Amino acid sequence: MTALGIDPVITETGTVLRLSGELDLATIADAEDALARTESEGRGGITLDLRYLAFIDSTGLRFILSAHARAVELDRPFAIIRASDAVHRVFVLTRLDERLPFEDAADPLPGVSDR
Amino acid sequence: MTDPALSLEQRMLDAERRAREIAENAQAEAEAAREEAVRAREEAERAHRLESQARERLQVLVEAGVAMAASLEVRSVLSAATAAAARRVCDYSVAFAVDREGRVQAAVGAHRDPARFGMVERMANAHLPDPDDPDSIVANVLKTGEAAWIPNVPHKQMERMMAPGEQLELARSLGLASVIAVPLAARGRTLGVLVLVRDDPSRPFVEEDQSLAGMLAARAGLAVDNARLYAEREYVAETLRRSLLPPELPGIQGLEIAARYLPAAEGTQVGGDFYDVFEAAPDRWIAVIGDVVGKGVEAAAMMGLARYTIRTAAMSEGRPSAILETLNQAILTQTNDQRFCTACAVRLRPSGDVARATVCSGGHPLPLVLRADGTTEVVGSPGTIVGVFDDPVLVDRAVDLHLGDTLVLYTDGVTDERRDADEFGERRLHEALTELAGAGAQRIADGVVDAVVGFRTGQPKDDIAILAIKVVG
C-alpha cells in the first residue's frame, strides 16, 4: 500500500510527472525511482505536477530540490505546477517558492479548480 | 463321422467350455487392465508426490526467505529459520547465534507441534554449547564452519551430546533420532548454527534434507548478518542522537524553560529534530530548534554539525540571522547533495519582567507567543531553508515577552500529525495553547504533546520537539 501516486504523462515537450497523495519519507523511494526513469528514458523537459499532492515533508522538498538541480545541470527544461494552497504553504515557509520554477497549470485537470 | 447325438452334446460342452474360457480370459484381462490402471495411478501419484515435495522444499526457502528478510533482529531471523525448518523439513529445530567474541548466545527453537516449542527452547538453553566440547555438534560446526549430518544418532552419542539432567531428560522426551547441523555464515564468518532434528528413527534425514538445510542456512546467515549490521547502525545513531540533545536545559534568571521531544519510533530510526539552549554572552541566551532532513546516522551527523556550528557562531555573532547564515555556509561547504535543515534561532535578553526575543527562521515553522491572557500570535518572518543556497533570505524580528508570556518553538511534527486525512495544523496548535494559558513552561510543552498525541490516529509520522520559554520575572 503506497500513499503516493506517480503518473508519468508524455507530452510534446517532455514528461509530466503527476504526483498525488503523500510525498514523504515513507514514499520517497518510489518518487526517486520514477524520476530516475523519467530522467534516463524521457526526452525534453520535466514537469512535476503537484496539484494532487496532499502532503509533503522535508524529504519531499529535498527530492524536488534535487530534481531541479539535476535538470539545471543537464540543461533540461524543468517546471513545477503549484500544489494546493495547503501544500504550497510549505514552499512559502521555506522560501522555496522564490527559488523553484513554479508555474500554474495550462490545462486544468478535471476536478481541480484553478485558483 | 461323429455321432450326431454325441457330437451335439460334445459341441454344447465345447461351446460352454469356450464360453467359460472367453469369460475367464476377459476377466483376467480386466484384472490385468485394472492392475495396470492401479500401477499407472500409483506412478502418477508418486510423480506428483515427488513434484509436490520439490515444490514444498522450494516453498520452505521462499517462505523462510520472506520472513527472514522482514526481520531486523537476530532473534527474529533465527525464529523464522527454525519455524520454517520445523514446519516442513524436520520435527524440531534450534538455532544459535554467536557474538563477536565467538560466545554462543541464547538459543531460539521451534517444533512442528506448537505445544512443544517451550520444551525445545528449554532443552537448548538448559546448557548452551561449550565451544571446546569435542562431543558438541554445534561447537564442531562453529569451529570448522562445515555442516554435520548424523542420519542415525546412536543412543550413547546422544547421551554424550546432552548435558546430564534437564537437557538430557528433555532430549529423551522430545526424541533425537537424526540430526543435521549447518553453519549460518556470511562474508566468510560463521555467525551461528542451525540444528534440525527428527524424532523418529524410521524417518532419518537423507542427503536431500541436508542440501535443503544448507540452502535454508545460507539465507539465514545473510539475514543474521543484515540484522547485526542494522543493530550496529541503530546503536551508533541512537548514541549520536543522545549525545546531541542537551541533557539538561540551563536555568536562566527570570525565565522558565522546558522541552519535550517525542521520537516518531523509539530505536528504529533516529529522526532529525534537535534543540539547544545556551548562554552566548553574559545575559544573552540563544535558543534554537531545528529539523534535519532524513533519518539515521547521516541525519544525526548533520544534527551534530548544526548544533556545534550554532554554538560556535553564537560566540561572535549577535544576530540570529547571522548565526543561521554561518550554519548555511557550513552545510554548503560540507555537502553538495541538497541536504538541508530548517532551524529557528532566538536570541533572548531577559531583563526583569520583560524579555526581548529576536527570532529568525530558516525555513522553519514560525514560533508562537502565548500571551498571559491566552491570546496567541505568530512571530518572525519566513526565511530560506539552511544549507542549499548561498544567498539565503534570513530576517530577524523582535518581540517583547512580558510577565506570564510564553514563547513556543516547535517542529513540523506537531502540525503535520494527522487524524485520518485531517492535519493537526496551526489552528489546533493555537487552540491547544490558549487552553494552556497560565500554565508553567513544562505543562505547556507537555500539553501540546498530549494534544497532538490525543489527536492523531495511526503511527506517528515524524518526530515532535517543543521548546517553551516563559517569562516568570
Side-chain angles (χ1 to χ4, degrees):
Chain A
M1 176 193 88
T2 173
L4 176 71
I6 308 161
D7 301 292
V9 180
I10 312 291
T11 68
E12 275 175 21
T13 53
T15 305
V16 178
L17 269 188
R18 185 183 302 158
L19 304 175
S20 55
E22 302 174 5
L23 184 60
D24 60 14
L25 189 65
T27 61
I28 203 70
D30 292 344
E32 277 167 356
D33 286 350
L35 180 65
R37 235 173 294 126
T38 302
E39 285 171 346
S40 63
E41 293 166 11
R43 289 160 195 278
I46 294 174
T47 301
L48 299 180
D49 182 352
L50 307 186
R51 281 176 293 173
Y52 276 155
L53 215 54
F55 178 75
I56 187 166
D57 75 350
S58 55
T59 319
L61 294 182
R62 184 180 175 209
F63 164 80
I64 290 173
L65 281 168
S66 301
H68 178 228
R70 270 197 307 276
V72 168
E73 207 171 291
L74 299 172
D75 207 15
R76 283 177 82 160
F78 182 85
I80 305 170
I81 303 179
R82 276 170 51 102
S84 68
D85 286 350
V87 172
H88 192 69
R89 279 179 53 239
V90 179
F91 292 96
V92 175
L93 180 71
T94 52
R95 295 191 88 119
L96 291 175
D97 59 335
E98 303 169 341
R99 310 279 175 162
L100 294 168
F102 281 99
E103 61 182 40
D104 291 314
D107 55 329
L109 291 171
V112 176
S113 57
D114 230 11
R115 289 170 310 271
Chain B
M1 288 296 272
T2 49
D3 178 337
L6 180 72
S7 157
L8 180 62
E9 191 182 350
Q10 188 61 45
R11 286 215 304 274
M12 281 174 69
L13 280 173
D14 283 352
E16 234 173 80
R17 197 185 62 241
R18 269 207 306 281
R20 209 165 41 238
E21 275 171 12
I22 288 169
E24 276 168 9
N25 275 346
Q27 204 173 0
E29 266 167 39
E31 193 68 39
R34 236 191 334 266
E35 274 169 23
E36 184 63 30
V38 168
R39 263 201 306 281
R41 197 171 59 225
E42 278 172 1
E43 189 60 37
E45 274 169 5
R46 206 174 75 85
H48 182 70
R49 211 164 40 241
L50 280 177
E51 193 195 309
S52 73
Q53 267 171 12
R55 237 197 338 259
E56 190 146 302
R57 280 158 187 280
L58 190 64
Q59 193 65 20
V60 177
L61 297 176
V62 171
E63 281 174 12
V66 170
M68 291 186 301
S71 307
L72 292 171
E73 282 177 312
V74 173
R75 267 191 84 80
S76 49
V77 171
L78 299 182
S79 281
T82 54
R87 196 161 51 238
R88 298 190 196 258
V89 195
C90 59
D91 295 309
Y92 60 95
S93 173
V94 176
F96 303 87
V98 291
D99 65 14
R100 298 227 165 272
E101 280 73 46
R103 284 181 303 240
V104 177
Q105 309 286 86
V108 171
H111 198 288
R112 186 168 43 81
D113 171 8
R116 310 191 103 188
F117 263 60
M119 273 173 81
V120 173
E121 291 205 340
R122 264 207 327 282
M123 179 194 70
N125 288 301
H127 181 85
L128 289 178
D130 171 1
D132 299 319
D133 179 359
D135 289 323
S136 162
I137 301 184
V138 172
N140 283 330
V141 172
L142 283 175
K143 199 173 292 173
T144 61
E146 303 278 333
W149 167 32
I150 311 176
N152 294 291
V153 181
H155 199 72
K156 282 264 174 288
Q157 188 177 3
M158 180 185 98
E159 292 191 340
R160 280 204 311 277
M161 270 159 43
M162 295 292 155
E166 192 189 7
Q167 188 168 50
L168 185 57
E169 290 310 311
L170 285 164
R172 280 203 182 107
S173 42
L174 283 165
L176 201 161
S178 191
V179 177
I180 290 172
V182 274
L184 303 175
R187 294 184 294 156
R189 294 173 47 146
T190 304
L191 307 173
V193 178
L194 178 68
V195 182
L196 286 69
V197 181
R198 284 213 180 130
D199 55 22
D200 181 354
S202 68
R203 292 180 293 113
F205 284 121
V206 294
E207 196 159 350
E208 270 186 328
D209 297 316
Q210 200 200 353
S211 74
L212 182 61
M215 286 189 272
L216 183 60
R219 284 160 173 76
L222 289 176
V224 167
D225 193 41
N226 278 342
R228 274 166 58 151
L229 289 175
Y230 185 77
E232 270 164 35
R233 275 182 65 113
E234 288 307 292
Y235 177 75
V236 169
E238 182 64 16
T239 309
L240 259 173
R241 187 185 67 75
R242 287 194 187 285
S243 75
L244 294 173
L245 288 180
E248 208 175 302
L249 294 170
I252 305 177
Q253 181 67 41
L255 300 178
E256 200 178 274
I257 302 188
R260 270 299 292 274
Y261 172 70
L262 201 66
E266 190 69 55
T268 54
Q269 279 193 315
V270 176
D273 288 3
F274 64 93
Y275 59 85
D276 199 7
V277 181
F278 58 93
E279 189 170 26
D283 296 323
R284 204 187 74 204
W285 296 79
I286 298 291
V288 59
I289 194 164
D291 187 354
V292 163
V293 175
K295 302 272 171 187
V297 176
E298 285 175 344
M302 191 190 269
M303 278 162 64
L305 173 66
R307 184 153 178 244
Y308 292 109
T309 304
I310 289 166
R311 283 210 171 211
T312 309
M315 291 195 292
S316 54
E317 304 283 1
R319 289 173 299 121
S321 58
I323 294 172
L324 293 185
E325 269 162 31
T326 306
L327 177 60
N328 185 65
Q329 276 307 320
I331 297 176
L332 264 179
T333 46
Q334 303 218 4
T335 66
N336 58 352
D337 54 356
Q338 270 67 45
R339 196 176 289 276
F340 67 87
C341 74
T342 69
C344 180
V346 181
R347 179 179 61 197
L348 293 160
R349 278 187 294 202
S351 161
D353 287 351
V354 183
R356 166 151 289 213
T358 306
V359 174
C360 178
S361 163
H364 197 84
L366 300 175
L368 304 178
V369 175
L370 170 62
R371 297 292 182 189
D373 65 1
T375 56
T376 55
E377 58 200 70
V378 177
V379 296
S381 313
T384 313
I385 53 166
V386 180
V388 177
F389 305 104
D390 55 14
D391 56 347
V393 177
L394 296 164
V395 186
D396 292 308
R397 293 272 185 243
V399 60
D400 281 334
L401 306 174
H402 300 276
L403 193 65
D405 292 350
T406 306
L407 179 68
V408 178
L409 309 175
Y410 66 96
T411 56
D412 58 7
V414 171
T415 41
D416 286 351
E417 283 296 346
R418 270 184 283 175
R419 178 192 287 274
D420 304 322
D422 197 10
E423 272 182 19
F424 187 75
E426 280 169 46
R427 184 177 57 78
R428 286 193 181 83
L429 178 56
H430 283 268
E431 287 169 4
L433 286 174
T434 296
E435 290 205 5
L436 290 162
Q442 188 65 58
R443 175 75 201 102
I444 289 172
D446 292 344
V448 171
V449 169
D450 291 347
V452 173
V453 171
F455 174 80
R456 77 180 169 207
T457 48
Q459 292 300 304
K461 282 183 83 75
D462 200 357
D463 297 357
I464 292 173
I466 293 164
L467 197 53
I469 300 162
K470 182 171 183 175
V471 180
V472 290

